[in-house]
């Protein structure tokens, strides 16, 4: 049976100033995202689109959402599969192409660097990235490839012993 989840929040534009959108070059892109519980998220447009660098922009948040969803799915699978993860860092990068009538993301590459507790966990830790992609709600909701190039380290082992995995996702080689 399918379950439905609803996510309610408020996006409040705070950049109207005195003249609102009377001039494209002047109005502020600042806004605030709020929901019951978490602290407000301060947003703006990408600086390329007249936003500010000190606030999150929607493009960054999309890439962050994909990274967070993958990480949380992955950690859950590892816990269930008895793969003990002791550290996880991702440095994802998203590529967006701007065209005359808008733009779209063409790709997001997740680059998780995962540390596991023992060498015998490396193979399963690498393989679980593909499964995490399959169960990630956000990745299954976008219309562009989300790839991952994990690096698996063993706690206490030299970084030179890291195992790099490349996973093809959505028919795109990682």
């Amino acid at each position: 049976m399918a379950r439905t989840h609803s996510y309610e929040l408020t996006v409040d534009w705070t950049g109207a100033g005195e003249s609102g959108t009377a001039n494209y070059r002047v109005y502020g892109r600042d806004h605030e995202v709020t929901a019951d519980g978490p602290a407000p998220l301060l947003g703006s447009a990408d600086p390329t689109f007249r936003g500010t660098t000190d606030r999150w922009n929607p493009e960054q948040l999309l890439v962050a959402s994909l990274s967070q969803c993958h990480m949380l799915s992955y950690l859950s699978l590892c816990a269930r599969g008895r793969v003990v993860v002791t550290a996880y860092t991702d440095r994802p990068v998203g590529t967006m192409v701007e065209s005359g009538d808008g733009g779209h993301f063409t790709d997001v590459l997740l680059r998780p660097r995962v540390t596991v507790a023992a060498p015998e966990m490396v193979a399963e830790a690498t393989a679980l990235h593909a499964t995490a992609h399959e169960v990630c709600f956000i990745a299954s909701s976008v219309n562009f490839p989300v790839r991952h190039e994990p690096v698996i380290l063993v706690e206490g082992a030299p970084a030179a012993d890291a195992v790099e995995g490349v996973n093809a996702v959505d028919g795109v080689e990682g």
Side-chain angles (χ1 to χ4, degrees):
M1 174 187 294
R3 295 187 315 186
T4 300
H5 302 272
S6 178
Y7 301 93
E8 293 186 31
L9 50 88
T10 300
V11 177
D12 186 27
W13 177 44
T14 58
E18 292 183 21
S19 59
T21 59
N23 183 322
Y24 176 81
R25 295 178 185 268
V26 177
Y27 77 88
R29 273 61 171 180
D30 290 356
H31 56 275
E32 188 173 281
V33 181
T34 57
D36 289 340
L41 180 77
L42 302 180
S44 188
D46 181 295
T48 302
F49 309 112
R50 304 188 129 358
T52 61
T53 59
D54 62 338
R55 291 172 172 247
W56 290 94
N57 66 58
E59 295 82 7
Q60 290 171 315
L61 293 172
L62 176 61
V63 174
S65 292
L66 286 161
S67 177
Q68 287 176 280
C69 187
H70 183 86
M71 178 191 70
L72 294 168
S73 298
Y74 179 78
L75 294 175
S76 174
L77 291 166
C78 286
R80 292 178 192 166
R82 303 200 192 290
V83 174
V84 179
V85 175
T86 60
Y88 185 111
T89 300
D90 191 7
R91 298 194 187 284
V93 60
T95 303
M96 186 180 81
V97 174
E98 189 179 355
S99 59
D101 59 348
H104 63 277
F105 272 81
T106 59
D107 180 73
V108 168
L109 174 62
L110 306 180
R111 300 178 293 182
R113 188 173 179 91
V114 179
T115 303
V116 296
E120 60 272 12
M121 297 175 179
V122 170
E124 183 68 8
T126 301
L128 285 174
H129 281 284
T131 308
H133 174 75
E134 292 171 10
V135 301
C136 172
F137 303 135
I138 307 299
S140 66
S141 299
V142 298
N143 65 354
F144 53 83
V146 177
R147 300 178 295 121
H148 34 81
E149 295 178 353
V151 174
I152 309 296
L153 303 161
V154 176
E155 190 163 327
D161 293 343
V163 175
E164 294 188 34
V166 177
N167 293 314
V169 174
D170 296 337
V172 178
E173 198 57 33

